[in-house]
Amino acid sequence: MPADLSAEDAKLVTLARAARARTRAAEGAAVRDTDGRTYAACTVQLDTVLLSALQLAVAMAVSSGVKGIEAAAVVTDHEPAAVDVEVVRYFGGAALPVVVADGNGEVRDVVHT
């Protein structure tokens, strides 16, 4: 992890990696709400449903009654520019950091909503 990545953001990357590894999914994601609680999820790809890991992590947070999101992380093999952060922007607002890391947890970029 880069030295400038906070311990809380590094935790999000760790949770996202674990979610991805448990199911061997295409992506893992984790979000932190404004109270400091975290929610982790992986990609869900069924015949009739496709949810990105980030969409599902936000949905889990929303279904738990959170009022806002302050940060997120996605572990993926895709390029950082391909990560759709719209769901975080919609629920959490503009300029929130989304850490994008590879499967080894190496941070590739921090994009903002």
Side-chain angles (χ1 to χ4, degrees):
M1 303 283 166
D4 60 341
L5 194 64
S6 73
E8 290 299 311
D9 288 347
K11 176 183 172 183
L12 289 177
V13 172
T14 299
L15 291 170
R17 284 185 69 211
R20 181 182 188 222
R22 272 193 305 276
T23 61
R24 298 186 186 120
E27 293 180 343
V31 298
R32 183 175 57 251
D33 71 17
T34 52
D35 291 329
R37 295 174 296 202
T38 56
Y39 306 84
C42 64
T43 305
V44 172
Q45 186 169 359
L46 306 171
D47 291 339
T48 58
V49 176
L50 174 60
L51 292 171
S52 74
L54 194 52
Q55 289 171 330
L56 188 53
V58 169
M60 291 171 62
V62 170
S63 68
S64 295
V66 304
K67 302 297 183 213
I69 292 173
E70 65 181 26
V74 177
V75 173
T76 183
D77 294 328
H78 297 296
E79 291 298 316
V83 175
D84 184 1
V85 299
E86 186 62 31
V87 68
V88 176
R89 180 182 302 115
Y90 179 80
F91 188 70
L96 295 179
V98 179
V99 178
V100 181
D102 65 18
N104 294 321
E106 295 294 320
V107 175
R108 297 167 67 203
D109 199 1
V110 178
V111 296
H112 292 83
T113 61

